[in-house]
C-alpha cells in the first residue's frame, strides 16, 4: 500500500524489493510503502485498489 496516496498495489512476483506490477511505486521511497493485505488496506485504511494492478481497481 502506498501510504501517501492510500492506494493498494500488487507486489511484483519474484521481486525482493517493494516493486509493483504497474511500476508506479518503482521510484517511491520505501517509507511511503507498506506490505499489508488488500482487505486490511481497504477496510482499516480506506485505501483504493490501483486500476493498473487490479481489474476492479479505480486508482491511477
Amino acid at each position: 500500500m502506498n501510504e501517501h496516496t492510500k492506494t493498494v498495489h500488487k507486489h511484483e512476483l519474484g521481486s525482493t524489493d517493494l516493486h509493483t506490477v504497474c511500476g508506479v511505486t518503482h521510484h517511491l521511497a520505501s517509507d511511503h510503502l507498506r506490505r499489508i493485505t488488500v482487505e486490511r488496506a481497504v477496510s482499516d485504511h480506506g485505501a483504493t485498489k490501483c486500476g493498473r494492478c487490479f481489474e476492479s481497481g479505480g486508482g491511477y
Side-chain angles (χ1 to χ4, degrees):
M1 178 175 84
N2 180 336
E3 293 186 332
H4 181 71
T5 62
K6 294 197 178 206
T7 306
V8 181
H9 299 272
K10 282 186 183 179
H11 180 257
E12 183 177 14
L13 294 177
S15 174
T16 55
D17 294 331
L18 293 174
H19 291 265
T20 59
V21 173
C22 67
V24 168
T25 60
H26 182 71
H27 299 289
L28 287 177
S30 61
D31 61 337
H32 285 287
L33 301 170
R34 182 182 353 168
R35 285 188 185 208
I36 188 171
T37 65
V38 174
E39 294 81 11
R40 184 168 171 219
V42 171
S43 66
D44 294 358
H45 300 280
T48 57
K49 294 179 184 177
C50 169
R52 294 181 190 169
C53 290
F54 298 93
E55 287 183 21
S56 62
Y60 293 110

